[in-house]
Amino acid sequence: MNQRIEDPKQAPSIGRPAEYRIENMDCPTEETLIRDRLGKLEGVLGLEFNLMQRRLSVRHTLAGTATIELALAEIGMRAEPLAEAATGSGTRIPDAPAISRRQRILMGAAGLAAIAAEILAWSTGQDASWPVILLALVAIAASGFETYRKGLIALRNFNLNINALMAIAVTGAVVIGQWPEAAMVMVLFSIAEMIEALSLDRARNAIRKLMEAAPETATVRQADDTWKEMAVAAVAAGMLVQVKPGQRLPLDGEVVLGQSAVNQAPITGESMPVDKGPGDSVFAGSINETGSFEFRVTSAAGQSTLARIIKAVEEAQGSRAPTQRFVDQFARIYTPAVLAIAVLVALLPPLAFGEPWIDWIYKALVLLVIACPCALVISTPVTIVSALAAAARRGMLIKGGAYLELGRDIKSLALDKTGTITEGKPAVTDLIGWDGSAADVALVAAAALAARSDHPVSRAIARRFTESGVNLATAEVGEFAALTGRGVRGDIAGVVHHLGNHRLIEELGLCSPSLEASLETLEKQGKTAVVVTRGASVLGILAVADRVRETSRAALADLHALGVRTLMLSGDNSHTATAIAREVGIDDARGDQMPEDKLAAIEAELRTHGTVGMVGDGINDAPALAKSSIGFAMGAAGTDTAIETADVALMDDDLRKIPEFIRLSRATAAVLKQNIALALGIKAVFLVLAIAGQATLWMAVFADMGASLLVVFNGMRLLRPRGSN
């Protein structure tokens, strides 16, 4: 539930940040009050609110923070500098109970006093007898002290929030002699506020559970080879950590000894445990299921995959969705409009038509309670946060409410091939010597060039050389250069060598009819053919094949069922792209795609279909990912770049997450519409009833707070496991 007065993607990062923990900052009421007060301070450049974590970030150019803290104190906000409020590594901040024991006792006493006042007034027929007044005052004081305090602060700052409106309404009811009703209204309002605080805690807990996924201590090997429990914040990269069955992993790392099945669901959303052994990556927050193992820490606590997920989710709450921006703008018009109506209702009938003042003042007081847009304002952030937390729990990291809403409109999805539709772990299937050159000689030259490249095809060639047992050393390569979209070039023993695709060989003028025929034969089999050359001669052909992921067919079928067109953009040759596309059921396949070709394809899709997604690795497909409406990064677990740059990061390699994201987006849009309809519908009904004289203050309180609770609970439905919404 974040709101910002500046967009961090558009505003420059100027000034200094001051972070605060404000325990009594729970809802948009407090946020508006803080924004109005701090927004007037010279030197304050921007505010960022995280209502779920009760955090306030102030970007300023002031010499110190005393002015900010004084201004917060003036409006009743108890602010602790975050450095003092934080504990441990700074990621866990203990929350006070939503409702204290003292509050519960006071509320119980207030409720009994209000009920007694009602019974006494009903039995005696006297609403203003001294016993009734005394009981009413006890009920109002015990339940409404905070409401009056906050209301007076709001009025001093010319802010008509729900506390100010309730204080005015209850005081007005007392002035016109409605003592029992004034007492009961204050008690009901306070009870509703308590219930709302408890319900918001449920949504807050969804984020807190992410923070609690990793333990605070780790068993670390010491210099004398003994094992010792240490605080996670004190464990540095490179240290060895031991994990036993049933324990959660405290940090990211790489297994060095032992084997086990690890449940990565908290990070990737995978339903089944993953086998881990030496050399495999493991992530903080995962659960070790079977054997013990040791791993070498690769990231400190603040830089682990889990820490980056938490940071991304918290920042995502600040990216306000279009619906939320609309609601905020509407609320700024709605409250003054209803207040104006309330003033007219109080004054016009008595002055113009001689109607009784007390009757019409009472109706105006009812309208004051209805004037608060709390339910409407709170409906969108609770829904968005619930959906973001649910997505993170399922292994989808959505970088903001705007992308969450936009996902429902995706009409076309472009996908990279290698590592997206296929496993990204190709293997050499064919090795052919050419023009009398031995296959082994071609392999040595190809492996020397491939060793300098991180491309999956290059890695497959290097792996084939290692596994082949060829009794030749890898040649030294000089003047190495990557030829984008075509291959690589380097000097071996003073002679220029190339390793590249069909396109590169044509550019070099080395593609004879016989070579062309061999390449086409391999490509029609769905293989990627690369050629290694020495000078102006061809040494050999290597064919590489990449297996299609088991989940790709199901994912693409799901996308088609959702009405999404699919397009594959591959740097591989057209024959291979077509063969893979036919195998998995892609609508359109394009091979030989350079980065600029992929970008042009996305631009064309945007013109034709409007909202277009792009799935890639977050680095090689950067231009296309940036241009698309929503960029998806595959297998982002442990990858800094993907988590930081993608609009949606899929934490594992399961393409089925994309149709799941679209379904979640559509479900979120439906809940947002339901919440807005509920909030406005209930307000409209009671607005008419109030003007007609059929609504009481009781009913108005139920309408206002009941609507708030309805939208909160409806929004939190998105936290349920998939399939239960």
Side-chain angles (χ1 to χ4, degrees), residues 1-4 49-53 207 310 312-320 324 384-385 388 399-401:
M1 285 176 57
N2 293 32
Q3 309 247 350
R4 300 186 184 194
F49 294 85
N50 185 331
L51 298 182
M52 280 294 172
Q53 298 296 323
I207 304 299
I310 293 167
V313 171
E314 289 185 339
E315 289 178 349
Q317 298 170 50
S319 177
R320 297 166 72 199
Q324 189 169 343
I384 295 295
V385 167
L388 290 173
K399 302 298 282 295

Side-chain angles (χ1 to χ4, degrees), residues 8 132 263 360 412 444 448 506 519 571 579 594 615 710:
V132 170
N263 180 353
W360 288 95
S412 176
V444 170
E506 288 181 343
L519 292 175
M594 302 286 284
V615 191
L710 278 175

Side-chain angles (χ1 to χ4, degrees), residues 610-625:
T611 305
V612 177
M614 171 70 192
V615 191
D617 61 11
I619 301 172
N620 296 333
D621 301 305
L625 284 166

Side-chain angles (χ1 to χ4, degrees), residues 130-183:
W130 283 109
V132 170
I133 292 173
L134 184 60
L135 287 167
L137 285 172
V138 169
I140 293 170
S143 64
F145 177 79
E146 275 297 302
T147 300
Y148 266 102
R149 187 183 67 81
K150 292 177 180 178
L152 289 172
I153 290 171
L155 288 171
R156 282 204 308 267
N157 288 273
F158 304 101
N159 185 300
L160 283 172
N161 62 26
I162 184 60
N163 295 300
L165 295 175
M166 282 302 303
I168 293 170
V170 171
T171 303
V174 166
V175 168
I176 63 176
Q178 299 290 327
W179 287 93
E181 188 162 6

Side-chain angles (χ1 to χ4, degrees), residues 42-56:
E42 185 151 354
V44 171
L45 305 177
L47 305 175
E48 180 181 332
F49 294 85
N50 185 331
L51 298 182
M52 280 294 172
Q53 298 296 323
R54 297 189 178 110
R55 292 184 191 174
L56 168 66

